[in-house]
Amino acid sequence: MTFASRMTRAPRAFDPDRGADGLAHVQGIDAGLHVLIHGAAGCSPYLLGLVAVEGAWLTENINTPEAARDAILADVVQLSHADLEQGLRTAKRRMALLVALADLGGVWPLETVTRAITDLADGAVDICIRRLVAAEIARGKLPGMTEDDAQTAAGMVALSMGKQGAYELNYSSDIDLICLFDETRFDPDDYHDARAAFIRVTRKMTAILSDLGAGGYVFRTDLRLRPDASVTPVCLSMETAERYYESVGRTWERAAYIKARAAAGDIAAGEGFLKTLTPFVWRKHLDFAAIQDAHDMRLRIRDHKGLGGELTLPGHNMKLGRGGIREIEFFTQTRQLIAGGRDPSLRARGTCDGLDALVAAGWVPDDTAQTLQTHYRAHREVEHRLQMINDAQTHDLPPDDAGFDRLAAFMGMARADLERDLRDRLDEVHTLTEGFFAPGQADVAPVDDFGEEITARWLTYPALRSDRAVRIFRRLRPELMSRLQEAARPDEALLQFDGFLAGLPAGVQLFSLFEANPQLTQLIVDIAATAPALAQYLSQNASVFDAVIGGDFFAPWPDVAGLQASFDAALDGVGDYEGRLDMARRWAKEWHFRIGVHHLRGLIDGGAAGRQYAQLAQVVVAGLWPHVLAQFEARHGQVQGRGAAVIAMGSLGAGRLNAMSDLDLIVIYDADGNGESDGPKPLATRAYFARLTQALVTALSAQMPEGRLYEVDMRLRPSGRAGPVATSLTAFETYQRSEAWTWEHLALTRARAIAGAPDLLADVEAARLSVLADKAAGETVLADVADMRARIAAAKPPQGAWDAKIGAGRLQDIELLAQTACLRAGCGETGLDAQLQAGIGWLSAADSAALAQGYALFWRLQAAARLLTGGALDPADLGEGGVRFILRETGMENTDALAAAMAEAAETSGAIIARYLEGTTDGA
């Protein structure tokens, strides 16, 4: 049979001249197809363009559309790496033209049309993954993999989600993918290299498919359905994804996995992963809670897209609007979720197949299912025509008369008939589906409309994505809103609480904790009203609230030994290394939060907070060091000698950090000889300690399920970034004596050994003191420091008048002079106050006291600012609670008084510093 003999319909040319242009490109084509080509080209600029490019191919292949389709798919499988972009674009053009004509002419039913588009998408993704993985293997970037492994994509799989998973892609559809890899195919030590390679493959694949280039594009590719898409890489290990779904998977994700299909790459691995998710998607009990979740989702989509209200055809969204495609899909999928755990026959991917299964199981009346299926197919055909016009991913009916006239011509209908048909179908779908989704009781709210615009969006937040979380929060809400209204500035407090709630990744556990411990409600209100940065921190680290209900949260701060004992006890009960790193993070977060709350509530001042943050960091580094060392030695063994010492530099060395500080560290080692370590994977001495240092940095800074501990800066090591990350004790001392610049000697005044063998720590300290004593009389010290001060001022100006750190006479400037005084005195003190005291003799006692007084003011302001905002401070941007906290900390009555005190302190300290560095005083 010819194509023309199979046709049952044809569009009517909206623009006959364009239709004639289309025919001009296929002059040798069967005359029976003229009406189809004329109508298609006369309605769709996009199809006219395809005919112009592929007219010769179409003429040759149109009478055997199934064979032409199969040949396109076969050509895709054979594409080389070099030919991917052009080859796939050619395949997409030809398939798009063939499918459109088969659809418009009624030669293929909807299912054949969507299957052809989906098969091309599957094939395009699959060949991209295989060729790109093969390239990574050839480059040696996938450890342990060989050329043969490229056939299974080395364990990488693309899960097709949504319509692609159900073989239902629409004409101009995006494709939704979740890219995973099977981590069990790799040695654990090679995990990060493998993950990095698969991330590269995913990004390159997405670019090949999505980028618009010569010959068009292939498929717009969306990777946002993966777990926690805003914070996770584009390709995840299967284990990571499984943990996510087991712990925080949401109802909409369960619904998404009804259609999920392993479509490209390692199909067997993908199918195995989907099997592991069966308990997540298909609950064993009858899950009627899914009805409320689906209803809420529908309402959120309508509100977000502005699709609520009565039906009006112009601009109506055929997918998401009233009576649209999504209504039928939700109706089907929600029933599948309710009963699919108990009845595997309901686990169909396709919408129409799902309705058939529900009828067979007695969940949906046969006439209802048939009506919905008929309307579903009709809606999809309208959707396809809308998209074919300009190859646009649109679902909106035309907004004007000309657009409706074009659509009616494309559908081969009179406009009045089209509008009547659309309205009838949309209304009937809405009637059949709306009654099923019975909304629950309205949210509990205070009697007035306090914060109505803000609270209206709360149900869209991740923390309220589960029914259980919503139910608990409804019980909490009246008390919470009452307390927020009692704040000094209720609107500000509500806005900051909104930020806290929006940032929560989950809510059930935290809300349950609040419900059982009402005092926490007041605490979060206090924090929201005062410290937005701390509230934001709590959003991502809500587990720290557990510490508040412990009996010693408000007890006095322990000494370093007590803190170290607590840290060691927390880690002792954890068996594996990764678990200990996570436990360290959990423990540190609770203590870090404790300091912030004590500071906020006035139990300690900024000076005490600075010392406590520094002691906390010291304990974490010293406490983790033996665990890092043991893990490292298990692989690489030991080297002869006393090992390595960790040296705190900068603010940590000085014993004063703020809530947002990173850590300045260096590593110094002492080894006997230049031999190798004695472990299973031996390393030369320098490489050994360099790798050990990196292991420590990773232990402190790597992002893990419980977050990270600290960012680490090692630029204060000998030669800075140009030098090795670990230095031998001999080389360190030699460098400090013969090569170091004055600024490096200043940094040495704040160096403090905090982890390592005691005798090595003692020798490092002895070397430090010896160098400082020798350099105390340096002739160029003052000139060097003056030059350094000028360079700093030129390179980094203050961030406004309220910058406590940068600027003449402020924190950094005073620290510079204190370190200079310490260096000139050849003393071993590391704290600022002690360094200023040690400098008396060169400094006058009065000047030393003035500098200490100025520093105390600026430190209190800096400590408060970093707790409140995490960044630059401007009282005008703070809420009332934040301003009160700043004034309490600095002892000022108002911000004008504070500004005046800052200006006076900076001027006084700046003048003192300038006098000494310019050599115009002898300190008498």
Side-chain angles (χ1 to χ4, degrees):
M1 296 177 65
T2 65
F3 194 95
S5 67
R6 297 167 62 182
M7 285 172 50
T8 60
R9 62 192 182 192
R12 181 178 68 254
F14 174 74
D15 185 338
D17 290 339
R18 285 180 173 268
D21 290 343
L23 286 174
H25 295 294
V26 288
Q27 294 183 6
I29 205 163
D30 183 349
L33 297 174
H34 284 191
V35 64
L36 176 62
I37 301 296
H38 185 261
C43 288
S44 166
Y46 174 64
L47 292 180
L48 173 58
L50 291 182
V51 171
V53 175
E54 298 292 349
W57 176 87
L58 180 66
T59 301
E60 182 179 348
N61 292 279
I62 187 62
N63 278 318
T64 53
E66 289 79 12
R69 173 199 62 199
D70 295 342
I72 292 170
L73 297 174
D75 288 344
V76 165
V77 174
Q78 300 302 318
L79 288 173
S80 68
H81 188 176
D83 294 332
L84 283 176
E85 293 190 22
Q86 190 56 47
L88 289 175
R89 282 163 174 73
T90 298
K92 175 61 182 298
R93 287 197 309 272
R94 293 176 176 175
M95 187 69 83
L97 180 57
L98 180 67
V99 163
L101 295 177
D103 188 2
L104 291 167
V107 173
W108 286 351
L110 174 68
E111 287 77 8
T112 304
V113 168
T114 59
R115 179 64 184 254
I117 300 169
T118 303
D119 284 344
L120 177 62
D122 287 353
V125 174
D126 185 69
I127 195 63
C128 282
I129 288 177
R130 292 178 191 277
R131 295 293 185 257
L132 292 169
V133 166
E136 292 291 320
I137 293 173
R139 293 172 56 221
K141 298 299 184 180
L142 279 168
M145 296 293 107
T146 67
E147 183 177 348
D148 291 340
D149 292 301
Q151 297 303 311
T152 57
M156 180 179 172
V157 64
L159 302 180
S160 294
M161 309 298 289
K163 287 184 168 61
Q164 185 181 359
Y167 296 103
E168 295 175 339
L169 279 182
N170 57 48
Y171 188 76
S172 295
S173 188
D174 296 352
I175 57 175
D176 295 297
L177 302 176
I178 294 178
C179 293
L180 306 170
F181 68 95
D182 181 2
E183 75 286 344
T184 64
R185 293 185 63 166
F186 298 90
D187 187 287
D189 293 338
D190 297 325
Y191 170 86
H192 292 289
D193 289 338
R195 186 180 75 159
F198 289 126
I199 290 171
R200 285 194 297 273
V201 167
T202 305
R203 287 174 174 162
K204 290 176 182 177
M205 172 196 71
T206 303
I208 290 171
L209 296 176
S210 300
D211 288 355
L212 182 63
Y217 70 101
V218 189
F219 288 97
R220 291 175 293 265
T221 304
D222 193 334
L223 304 174
R224 291 175 297 175
L225 289 183
R226 69 185 186 275
D228 267 349
S230 62
V231 296
T232 55
V234 293
C235 187
L236 303 169
S237 72
M238 293 180 180
E239 180 188 20
T240 299
E242 184 179 353
R243 286 201 308 266
Y244 168 85
Y245 292 120
E246 286 178 349
S247 59
V248 294
R250 291 162 281 184
T251 298
W252 73 262
E253 288 168 313
R254 292 175 57 206
Y257 269 93
I258 292 176
K259 296 178 181 286
R261 177 171 55 85
D266 191 340
I267 304 298
E271 290 176 345
F273 171 78
L274 291 176
K275 186 175 181 180
T276 67
L277 289 193
T278 298
F280 163 68
V281 180
W282 306 108
R283 303 290 170 81
K284 293 181 179 180
H285 57 279
L286 294 178
D287 187 13
F288 283 98
I291 299 175
Q292 183 66 49
D293 284 347
H295 176 70
D296 292 342
M297 196 184 317
R298 293 164 68 243
L299 295 182
R300 288 198 295 270
I301 291 172
R302 287 184 186 176
D303 291 343
H304 178 66
K305 300 288 186 180
L307 301 174
E310 292 300 313
L311 173 63
T312 56
L313 289 182
H316 185 75
N317 190 300
M318 291 296 297
K319 177 180 178 181
L320 302 177
R322 176 188 175 102
I325 295 167
R326 183 57 56 84
E327 300 278 314
I328 302 172
E329 292 173 339
F330 271 21
F331 178 91
T332 306
Q333 292 171 5
T334 303
R335 280 169 165 77
Q336 289 177 291
L337 287 177
I338 290 170
R342 296 171 65 96
D343 185 354
S345 72
L346 299 179
R347 302 173 189 178
R349 291 190 176 100
T351 301
C352 292
D353 292 340
L355 284 168
D356 285 339
L358 290 166
V359 169
W363 283 91
V364 175
D366 183 58
D367 59 343
T368 297
Q370 288 189 32
T371 300
L372 290 176
Q373 288 170 334
T374 299
H375 294 335
Y376 177 79
R377 292 186 174 98
H379 282 3
R380 292 297 304 274
E381 286 195 356
V382 174
E383 178 187 56
H384 282 186
R385 302 302 177 271
L386 292 169
Q387 295 178 356
M388 284 178 189
I389 294 172
N390 287 306
D391 188 30
Q393 174 66 349
T394 182
H395 311 278
D396 294 338
L397 292 174
D400 53 28
D401 287 342
F404 262 98
D405 288 341
R406 181 189 295 271
L407 178 61
F410 215 6
M411 297 289 296
M413 300 175 67
R415 176 175 169 181
D417 293 339
L418 171 65
E419 291 180 340
R420 182 174 57 254
D421 184 72
L422 285 170
R423 191 179 301 278
D424 290 344
R425 292 184 187 281
L426 291 166
D427 282 340
E428 189 164 17
V429 168
H430 179 74
T431 299
L432 286 173
T433 59
E434 188 70 14
F436 173 66
F437 296 105
Q441 295 296 315
D443 199 3
V444 178
V447 293
D448 60 25
D449 60 355
F450 168 59
E452 185 175 12
E453 291 186 4
I454 293 175
T455 60
R457 60 182 179 241
W458 282 357
L459 284 178
T460 69
Y461 290 166
L464 290 159
R465 58 191 165 193
S466 73
D467 286 344
R468 186 181 176 196
V470 171
R471 289 195 298 271
I472 299 170
F473 190 73
R474 281 174 176 160
R475 296 194 293 269
L476 289 172
R477 179 170 168 165
E479 176 69 13
L480 175 65
M481 296 299 287
S482 175
R483 291 181 182 271
L484 285 168
Q485 286 180 285
E486 293 171 0
R489 295 281 183 89
D491 291 335
E492 292 174 359
L494 176 62
L495 189 62
Q496 297 305 334
F497 178 80
D498 177 68
F500 162 77
L501 189 63
L504 285 174
V508 170
Q509 293 184 354
L510 181 63
F511 299 157
S512 298
L513 186 64
F514 278 15
E515 190 171 34
N517 299 274
Q519 72 273 23
L520 295 184
T521 304
Q522 186 60 56
L523 177 60
I524 188 56
V525 168
D526 289 346
I527 292 171
T530 308
L534 186 56
Q536 184 179 23
Y537 171 82
L538 288 176
S539 292
Q540 303 303 318
N541 299 280
S543 63
V544 299
F545 277 112
D546 293 345
V548 181
I549 60 176
D552 58 354
F553 184 81
F554 291 103
W557 183 257
D559 57 18
V560 172
L563 204 59
Q564 191 72 65
S566 172
F567 180 88
D568 293 342
L571 267 64
D572 282 347
V574 182
D576 64 285
Y577 181 65
E578 296 289 328
R580 288 193 289 272
L581 294 185
D582 244 352
M583 177 57 74
R585 283 154 171 75
R586 191 176 311 127
W587 180 91
K589 284 192 298 187
E590 291 184 359
W591 284 93
H592 193 277
F593 177 58
R594 181 189 193 277
I595 298 169
V597 171
H598 282 221
H599 189 192
L600 200 62
R601 290 201 159 177
L603 301 177
I604 57 176
D605 62 14
R611 290 189 296 275
Q612 291 180 12
Y613 283 128
Q615 289 174 6
L616 175 63
Q618 175 183 332
V619 164
V620 168
V621 175
L624 270 184
W625 178 244
H627 297 283
V628 172
L629 194 60
Q631 179 76 5
F632 190 80
E633 289 177 348
R635 294 190 63 202
H636 302 294
Q638 298 179 335
V639 295
Q640 294 184 354
R642 293 181 292 174
V646 183
I647 314 301
M649 306 291 286
S651 297
L652 178 59
R656 195 191 307 252
L657 298 179
N658 63 57
M660 305 294 291
S661 291
D662 59 9
L663 305 184
D664 293 298
L665 301 173
I666 65 173
V667 172
I668 298 174
Y669 65 86
D670 179 58
D672 295 338
N674 294 312
E676 291 185 334
S677 60
D678 59 7
K681 295 185 177 181
L683 294 171
T685 298
R686 289 187 64 182
Y688 180 93
F689 287 106
R691 295 275 294 275
L692 176 59
T693 301
Q694 188 56 55
L696 173 64
V697 173
T698 299
L700 293 169
S701 62
Q703 185 71 37
M704 300 186 69
E706 290 286 344
R708 61 166 52 91
L709 285 164
Y710 297 96
E711 295 288 353
V712 177
D713 191 335
M714 303 200 73
R715 288 176 294 177
L716 293 180
R717 66 185 185 270
S719 299
R721 287 195 179 100
V725 293
T727 309
S728 72
L729 178 57
T730 301
F732 176 79
E733 190 167 6
T734 300
Y735 176 86
Q736 291 290 343
R737 293 186 183 280
S738 60
E739 300 180 46
W741 296 76
T742 297
W743 72 263
E744 293 175 287
H745 295 143
L746 295 181
L748 199 60
T749 67
R750 300 206 292 180
R752 186 162 55 90
I754 59 173
D759 58 338
L760 177 57
L761 299 187
D763 285 355
V764 170
E765 177 64 4
R768 183 182 81 94
L769 295 177
S770 176
V771 169
L772 292 178
D774 288 350
K775 299 298 180 179
E779 295 180 359
T780 66
V781 168
L782 293 183
D784 290 346
V785 175
D787 179 67
M788 187 189 322
R789 184 180 188 237
R791 289 174 180 270
I792 293 172
K796 196 170 185 181
Q799 292 183 287
W802 296 95
D803 192 333
K805 180 178 179 180
I806 307 298
R810 303 188 183 224
L811 290 176
Q812 190 178 67
D813 208 25
I814 298 171
E815 289 172 351
L816 187 67
L817 191 74
Q819 292 165 43
T820 305
C822 183
L823 177 60
R824 285 177 60 87
C827 79
E829 299 292 349
T830 58
L832 181 128
D833 291 337
Q835 289 183 340
L836 289 175
Q837 284 293 314
I840 294 178
W842 176 54
L843 301 176
S844 71
D847 287 341
S848 175
L851 291 171
Q853 183 178 357
Y855 191 88
L857 172 65
F858 287 119
W859 175 259
R860 289 194 296 270
L861 183 62
Q862 176 76 349
R866 300 300 278 174
L867 179 64
L868 293 182
T869 70
L873 175 70
D874 185 346
D877 295 333
L878 291 179
E880 177 68 20
V883 171
R884 289 182 180 182
F885 175 58
I886 291 283
L887 296 178
R888 187 196 75 203
E889 279 297 292
T890 56
M892 300 295 165
E893 292 189 3
N894 53 54
T895 55
D896 290 340
L898 175 58
M902 290 176 64
E904 181 181 356
E907 183 179 0
T908 299
S909 297
I912 293 171
I913 294 167
R915 287 204 323 271
Y916 283 98
L917 294 185
E918 292 166 7
T920 58
T921 178
D922 60 5

